[in-house]
């Protein structure tokens, strides 16, 4: 089977086709819950390969620690001998956390291997031997076990002066490294980028917004720049999204204008012998509210494997825009005060928001992929 996703979504399914390599079938499960995988009667070869990602943690809001992003789910990769498989195997896909004190659900492939979910931004409980607010989950029982990226720290300012960190990414399917962290909000009214599987989310400075990490490189960090957001990191199959650009003028001259932040480009390739999430990170956005008008845009979402862009604001007046959500495995972007943070993609952590009850991003559901051969 071959699945190619031009955007951030995904789904389950199977089919056969001509392939080169050990396997000729692939299944993907990306909706939270429990499903039964039946061992095919014509299963061939000596082994199957499974990838199990835990769910992402939610971000944090004005609750201490202010604006911390949620952690990405862990990853377990395992070859399983066909003689060890039952006639059926129970697959559990963990639910993403929607609580700032919670933790993403654990995903598992039968009793063979599992991966814990990431901690939410206000949860510093121990997660399989490691402790910290917004720390990532980790694989358990796999041939390869990796930890998800941690959520970026927020900026602890007053109610109109705070910033939110980006959510951490889950590990890439190669299993070569752990997931990357979300970008930190380092100063006033700024938003860090969500982590991508190829690099961390960008860090943000005063009033700025950073780009989300891409599947190939980190998101661009923000300077103290009030006229627009920064770009997302590059993807293997497409560029990162551009940040927005704004022009401010007096109301009598039209009140200014703004371009929209762009989504990360590139898709995903899911084949029996190849898995590649190749999207770029989302572009960041800065908004400006003055008197009777507001200019700016929502931040850009990440492509597959990319994190969402952060969203900052100049001036203290709330404008209620939204940071970008992560693509599959990517973390959500962080938002400044009264900005909605971005949600994590599958297994990605939710972004944090500087202020505003309930404006934090939610963690993404876990993910399981199975590669095998039928004859």
């Amino acid at each position: 089977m071959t699945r190619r996703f031009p955007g951030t979504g995904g789904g389950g399914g199977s089919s056969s086709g001509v392939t080169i390599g050990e396997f000729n079938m692939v299944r993907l499960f990306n909706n939270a819950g429990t499903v039964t995988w039946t061992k095919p009667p014509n299963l061939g070869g000596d082994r199957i390969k499974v990838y199990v990602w835990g769910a992402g943690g939610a971000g944090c809001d004005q609750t201490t620690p202010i604006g911390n992003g949620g952690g990405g789910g862990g990853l377990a990769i395992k070859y399983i001998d066909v003689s060890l498989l039952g006639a059926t195997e129970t697959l559990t896909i963990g639910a993403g956390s929607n609580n700032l004190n919670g933790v993403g659900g654990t995903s598992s492939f039968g009793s063979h291997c599992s991966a814990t979910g990431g901690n939410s931004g206000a949860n510093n409980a121990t997660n399989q031997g490691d402790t910290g607010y917004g720390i990532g989950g980790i694989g358990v029982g796999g041939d390869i076990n990796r930890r998800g990226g941690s959520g970026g720290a927020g900026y602890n300012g007053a109610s109109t002066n705070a910033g939110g960190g980006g959510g951490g990414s889950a590990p890439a399917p190669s299993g070569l490294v752990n997931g990357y962290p979300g970008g930190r909000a380092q100063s006033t009214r700024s938003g860090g980028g969500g982590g991508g599987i190829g690099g961390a989310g960008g860090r943000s400075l005063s009033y700025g917004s950073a780009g989300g990490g891409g599947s190939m490189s980190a998101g661009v960090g923000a300077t103290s720049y009030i006229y627009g957001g920064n770009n997302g990191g590059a993807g293997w199959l497409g560029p990162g999204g551009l940040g927005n650009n704004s022009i401010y003028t007096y109301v009598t001259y039209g009140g200014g204008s703004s371009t929209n932040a762009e989504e990360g480009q590139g898709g995903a390739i899911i084949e029996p012998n190849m898995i590649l999430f190749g999207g770029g990170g989302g572009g960041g956005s800065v908004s400006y509210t003055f008197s009777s008008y507001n200019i700016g845009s929502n931040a850009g979402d990440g492509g597959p494997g990319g994190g969402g862009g952060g969203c900052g604001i100049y001036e203290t007046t709330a404008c209620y825009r939204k940071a970008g959500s992560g693509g599959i495995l990517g973390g959500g972007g962080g938002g400044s005060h009264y900005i909605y943070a971005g949600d994590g993609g599958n297994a990605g952590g939710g972004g944090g928001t500087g202020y505003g009850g309930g404006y934090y991003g939610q963690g993404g559901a876990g993910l399981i992929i199975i590669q095998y051969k039928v004859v």
Side-chain angles (χ1 to χ4, degrees):
M1 174 202 170
T2 299
R3 300 189 66 83
R4 294 176 184 257
F5 302 128
T8 60
S14 65
S15 67
S16 60
V18 178
T19 62
I20 299 175
E22 181 176 3
F23 306 114
N24 60 10
M25 296 289 290
V26 64
R27 293 289 307 271
L28 179 150
F29 302 88
N30 64 344
N31 295 316
T34 300
V35 296
T36 298
W37 181 75
T38 301
K39 180 178 178 180
N42 57 343
L43 185 65
D46 299 321
R47 60 185 185 174
I48 68 171
K49 188 176 185 179
V50 298
Y51 305 76
V52 178
W53 284 272
C60 187
D61 56 14
Q62 63 201 40
T63 305
T64 302
I66 289 177
N68 210 79
L75 167 64
I77 303 174
K78 187 167 188 173
Y79 286 101
I80 304 174
D81 192 288
V82 296
S83 65
L84 300 178
L85 293 169
T88 61
E89 295 284 353
T90 299
L91 278 58
T92 300
I93 300 92
S97 177
N98 60 4
N99 187 314
L100 55 81
N101 294 300
V103 61
T106 295
S107 299
S108 59
F109 184 90
S111 60
H112 301 281
C113 61
S114 62
T116 65
N119 284 9
S120 293
N123 181 1
N124 67 345
T126 300
N127 190 318
Q128 288 293 315
D130 218 340
T131 303
Y133 292 109
I135 198 167
I138 194 169
V140 178
D143 300 321
I144 297 174
N145 300 296
R146 292 295 182 187
R147 187 172 288 279
S150 296
Y155 176 71
N156 190 351
S159 62
T160 58
N161 194 39
S169 80
S174 65
L176 295 176
V177 296
N178 294 329
Y180 286 92
R184 178 173 184 161
Q186 295 183 233
S187 191
T188 299
R189 300 195 291 274
S190 64
I197 63 174
R203 296 185 175 188
S204 59
L205 294 177
S206 300
Y207 321 115
S209 64
S215 61
M216 185 171 70
S217 66
V220 178
T223 57
S224 299
Y225 182 64
I226 67 173
Y227 299 104
N230 280 269
N231 300 338
W236 291 107
L237 300 177
L242 299 178
N244 80 320
N245 279 291
S246 299
I247 300 173
Y248 309 137
T249 63
Y250 291 107
V251 176
T252 52
Y253 294 110
S257 63
S258 174
T259 62
N260 292 325
E262 296 180 353
E263 297 181 352
Q265 303 300 301
I269 301 172
I270 302 179
E271 297 180 347
N273 298 287
M274 178 181 182
I275 301 174
L276 175 61
F277 297 110
S285 174
V286 174
S287 294
Y288 183 92
T289 300
F290 181 77
S291 184
S292 61
Y293 72 89
N294 171 272
I295 59 174
S297 75
N298 294 335
D301 296 338
C311 191
I313 186 173
Y314 185 69
E315 275 297 330
T316 59
T317 306
C319 70
Y320 305 105
R321 296 195 187 276
K322 189 177 187 299
S325 293
I328 192 169
L329 304 186
S336 67
H337 75 284
Y338 293 114
I339 295 289
Y340 290 94
D343 298 327
N346 280 100
T353 185
Y355 214 81
Y359 292 6
Y360 54 85
Q362 299 186 11
L367 177 69
I368 295 178
I369 299 176
I370 313 170
Q371 294 169 320
Y372 56 101
K373 180 180 179 179
V374 294
V375 294

